[in-house]
Amino acid sequence: MAEAADELSTPLGQNTLGRTRRFRLPFTAMQALAVLLGLVLVGFAGVALFNDNPLGGEPMARVTLRNPPPAATDDKHAPAGQTAEPAVKSVAKAPAAASDAKTVTIIDGSSGKRQDVVIGAGDPAEKADGDSPPVAMTGIDPRLLEKSRYGMIPAVADGLKPFTVYAAEADRTKAARMPVVAIVVAGLGVGAAKTTDAIMKLPPAVTLAFTPYGADPGKLAERARTQRHEILLQIPMEPFDYPDNDPGPQTLLTTLSSEQNLDRLYWHLSRLQGYAGIANFMGARFVATDPVMQPIVREAAKRGLSFFDDGSTPRSVAQTLSAGQSLPFAKADFAIDAVPTSAEIDRALVKLETIAKERGTAVGVASALPVSIERLGAWLKTLDSKGIMLVPLTTAMLKSKSG
């Protein structure tokens, strides 16, 4: 009984030896954390093993790489004894051209500024192939088109020439009796905003010259023709400081053979339709080099075009070669916005008036700078009162030839 009493009197939690009982967990906190981390690692391993996309959750971007348009092979890249294949073939043998979009950096010939532009695949001329006709464009005579491996290019047919068919309307009888001025706004097609300003803000008698670059030069050129502007196609040619000063892809070079330059010419000719002639885009070295210019001038004459020299080099042989091929020709007297300020442009326009009155015909070239468009628009409204007639470039060419 005494022993039982002792046990009853023992405090709860003590054994008979007087030690305190302690409650213990079956594992420690560190062990629990280790088990938890192990479960997390097993989960990640399962995702990596059984997920089809091991990069799932990572930020990604998808891009599409496209091949650039076919280009003529340069001499330095061509196998020994081999030159570029001529671009014009029969319809049955002409392969379809690859014309995927491509972004390139070119230099604006009027301002010298570098600009990234997209050479697109939207031009109808590039989409033509041997199995389907080219997309119809307003006022384009299908008889004056010939198939090349790059698309449709100008041709002479049934006694018709692009120079006469696509020349803007003008009163040539009146032009023969009075001083005339022709204005060419060049460098269009790159930059839709400035091109649209030139198309819409200048009178139809102003001739517009398009480069072969831009997302869709054919569409802008067609809009210009819809507004009754006469258009030219500018052909990129080698300047003296090439390649530091690079007109753009497919530039005609003095180091290439005539076959290679003609191949590049055909690429440019296919970029848009409905032009009355071609013009140099930069090209001070090229237009001054007789051997490389001869095939280009001969080809322009063969295809019923004209040639406009922007007057950037006094050593140009274009006029002499054009005369030898009976090719309609004109050369700019000067650039009216060489100094792009209102005062200098106005001074240049007065000088152009003087040349027209003294010689009968004057030709000015300008870029599509906002200040140039604004000063030209204001000046052109004053010509009637001064006894001077604004005419398209083709009319000035014909007057100079008849004179």
Side-chain angles (χ1 to χ4, degrees), residues 69 100-109 111 113-121 187-195 211-217 220 236 246-250 267-268 271 281:
D100 289 333
K102 178 183 178 184
T103 301
V104 298
T105 300
I106 70 167
I107 297 177
D108 189 324
S111 66
K113 295 181 179 178
R114 295 181 179 271
Q115 183 174 2
D116 289 337
V117 300
V118 177
I119 301 178
L188 302 179
V190 176
K194 71 174 185 179
T195 300
T211 72
Y213 307 127
D216 196 348
L220 291 170
D246 189 352
Q250 304 280 40
W267 186 88
H268 296 302
R271 293 288 292 156
F281 178 59

Side-chain angles (χ1 to χ4, degrees), residues 102-398:
K102 178 183 178 184
T103 301
V104 298
T105 300
I106 70 167
I107 297 177
D108 189 324
S110 58
S111 66
K113 295 181 179 178
R114 295 181 179 271
Q115 183 174 2
D116 289 337
V117 300
V118 177
I119 301 178
D123 183 32
E126 291 188 87
K127 295 182 179 179
D129 56 35
D131 298 324
S132 60
V135 178
M137 290 172 284
T138 304
I140 301 299
D141 191 331
R143 294 173 296 176
L144 301 182
L145 294 175
E146 178 180 327
K147 176 67 183 178
S148 79
R149 71 188 181 105
Y150 297 116
M152 306 305 291
I153 61 177
V156 174
D158 301 329
L160 300 176
K161 298 180 179 181
F163 173 76
T164 53
V165 172
Y166 301 133
E169 295 181 0
D171 187 343
R172 292 174 184 167
T173 302
K174 180 180 178 182
R177 300 194 306 262
M178 62 187 302
V180 301
V181 165
I183 299 293
V184 178
V185 176
L188 302 179
V190 176
K194 71 174 185 179
T195 300
T196 300
D197 279 348
I199 292 172
M200 304 306 296
K201 294 181 178 180
L202 295 174
V206 173
T207 299
L208 305 181
F210 287 78
T211 72
Y213 307 127
D216 196 348
K219 182 177 180 180
L220 291 170
E222 184 175 3
R223 184 174 183 183
R225 296 183 65 253
T226 300
Q227 295 297 318
R228 297 183 292 121
H229 288 282
E230 178 178 275
I231 66 171
L232 303 175
L233 173 64
Q234 291 181 274
I235 307 297
M237 299 178 179
E238 179 184 350
F240 279 111
D241 51 353
Y242 180 87
D244 292 335
N245 196 5
D246 189 352
Q250 304 280 40
T251 293
L252 275 57
L253 302 174
T254 57
T255 55
L256 298 182
S257 67
S258 60
E259 291 83 4
Q260 290 171 314
N261 277 325
L262 287 174
D263 183 85
R264 294 184 171 205
L265 175 66
Y266 298 148
W267 186 88
H268 296 302
L269 294 179
S270 72
R271 293 288 292 156
L272 53 97
Q273 301 297 333
Y275 43 91
I278 61 175
N280 61 299
F281 178 59
M282 302 174 66
R285 181 190 296 275
F286 196 91
V287 300
T289 308
D290 191 289
V292 293
M293 271 295 289
Q294 282 187 19
I296 304 304
V297 171
R298 186 164 54 246
E299 191 71 17
K302 171 186 172 182
R303 299 193 174 278
L305 300 169
S306 61
F307 192 91
F308 173 63
D309 187 329
D310 68 4
S312 56
T313 175
R315 293 189 283 175
S316 173
V317 297
Q319 184 169 7
T320 301
L321 294 177
S322 296
Q325 295 291 327
S326 299
L327 179 71
F329 175 85
K331 183 176 182 178
D333 291 298
F334 52 81
I336 67 172
D337 54 359
V339 181
T341 65
S342 296
E344 290 300 320
I345 291 173
D346 289 346
R347 187 174 292 110
L349 292 173
V350 171
K351 182 179 177 182
L352 207 61
E353 294 175 16
T354 303
I355 294 174
K357 291 178 178 179
E358 292 177 349
R359 201 175 59 198
T361 303
V363 180
V365 64
S367 64
L369 294 171
V371 64
S372 304
I373 300 298
E374 189 271 327
R375 297 316 305 155
L376 268 174
W379 175 74
L380 292 173
K381 295 176 182 177
T382 69
L383 288 185
D384 284 343
S385 63
K386 298 173 181 177
I388 299 174
M389 181 180 178
L390 174 67
V391 298
L393 183 67
T394 53
T395 299
M397 288 176 170
L398 293 172

